[in-house]
Amino acid sequence: MNPFKSAKEQLLRAVEIGGLSKYKAEILLHPDRYVEVAIPVQMDDGTQKIFTGFRCQHNNSRGPYKGGIRYHQDVNLDEVKALSFWMSFKCALIDIPFGGGKGGVIVDPKKLSDIELERLSRGWVQKIWRLLGPQVDVPAPDVNTNGKIMGWMLDEYEKITGSKAPATFTGKDVGHGGSEGRTEATGYGGGNLVEEILQKQIVDLPRKTVAIQGLGNVGSYFAEYVFKLGCKVVALSDSKGGIINMDGLNVQEVEAHKKATGSVKDFTGARNVSQEELLELDVDVLVPAALENVIVPENAGKIRARLVVEMANGPTAAEADPILEQNGVLVVPDFLANSGGVCVSYYEWYQNIHQEKWAGHFVLEKLKTQITSQFHEVLQLAKEKNTTLRNAAYILAASRIMEKM
Ligand code: NAD
């Protein structure tokens, strides 16, 4: 399905259940602006290549446009539009003063040398800088972009504008104006929600067993957090396969094994499992933290977890949602569960603007308070409207954006 079409359907469902303004929803179905640019890059062999770049600015009613820049060979305008739409909703839901934006470049960055990548990143800024700025549009890293690339982009932006403006980009390295706690933020934010669900007994999780698909940045910090809470992480996977031990895995030891061998597979004291088997395990909590569309109508009825925490973006297909609901599975939707990252990006922006430097524990405590309180707002609204957390989250985010509109 065209991702922007699915974003539209989600909004229209929220408008209907929440009794929101159809007129304002119609405006939200159209991004404020999008641009496509041609970026000429001098290659190391002396030739010149033209790359296609995008920036989509969806809505800025609540504050500057905010969202990452993705480098991928398959990125396209529809994808960037849909992602910018979701950023507006994610920022509104976690209640930070940002709107939604997203950018991209059609490129396989693995095929570029470091210097070619730098030229491309600076080239993106040369074409788009007029649309950027701390109070206008604040990009960040996304798939295949990182703190180093943000550093090049910021440097180019400051050269062109002749001003110091570190708050124009977030996700910078800590030594270059980035925030402490950003690396952990997304995984820990999801962990904060599990902690709250356990403490307030929102779902009965008697064995506290957890299966996590994807032991990357998000999955590993999430695993570390819930392990410290006393949860039993019984299954883990990466792109090469998965492992299970119902008595619990030592996450640190699994990570060391992955570092040494390149995968979690064949970990001593665990049995290998397939990706499909991992999703259908008899555990209390299932955490998709890798890919989109892994819970689909074909397997949704076989999910035995009582709680699904969507740490990846879009892991549940729209048609699978009603099946999970019918079976009484509580789903914490992606744009709430993984909003810790953008929340700390806002803290980075704030620190840059006010020339402050916050300690890591302060950042993570602030995140915990913020994500937990927004979770309770969503829970409350879901009860009032007798609907899912996903629908309630959409209603809450849409109504906050519409109020500012
Ligand atoms: P990452 O690249 O660090 O990790 C991804 C992990 O998924 C890797 O361990 C990889 O081996 C694994 N994986 C890939 N294919 C798999 C498969 N078929 N089965 C099981 N595992 C597989 O990425 P990340 O930053 O951890 O992001 C993970 C998800 O979280 C993505 O959907 C991303 O969009 C979302 N997300 C990330 C952030 C963030 O701050 N990093 C914020 C919001 C959302």
Side-chain angles (χ1 to χ4, degrees), residues 47-77:
T47 60
Q48 180 182 263
K49 253 193 187 165
I50 312 284
F51 293 89
T52 302
F54 306 105
R55 186 72 184 166
C56 181
Q57 299 179 330
H58 174 258
N59 186 280
N60 65 350
S61 305
R62 291 177 44 88
Y65 303 104
K66 180 92 194 84
I69 305 166
R70 172 169 294 199
Y71 284 2
H72 198 276
Q73 57 275 20
D74 298 329
V75 74
N76 59 60
L77 191 55

Side-chain angles (χ1 to χ4, degrees), residues 1 5-22 25 29 85-86 89 316-322 325 333 335 385 387-396 398 402:
M1 184 188 247
K5 191 159 171 259
S6 111
K8 284 178 183 176
E9 283 177 11
Q10 283 163 336
L11 175 62
L12 294 177
R13 200 179 316 132
V15 165
E16 183 141 341
I17 303 170
L20 303 177
S21 157
K22 289 196 171 109
L29 292 180
F85 172 97
W86 281 312
F89 282 76
T316 308
E319 313 78 45
D321 249 346
E325 189 185 359
F335 69 121
K385 300 278 179 196
T387 189
T388 60
L389 294 188
R390 192 185 316 279
N391 286 338
Y394 264 104
I395 296 169
L396 184 60
M402 289 179 180

Side-chain angles (χ1 to χ4, degrees), residues 17 20 30 38 124 126 166 180 187 228 259 282 307 352 366-367 386 395:
I17 303 170
L20 303 177
H30 300 86
W124 188 89
Q126 285 158 16
E180 297 285 352
K228 283 187 189 148
K259 213 170 177 183
D282 182 16
L307 173 68
N352 292 161
K366 206 169 157 59
L367 165 64
N386 190 24
I395 296 169

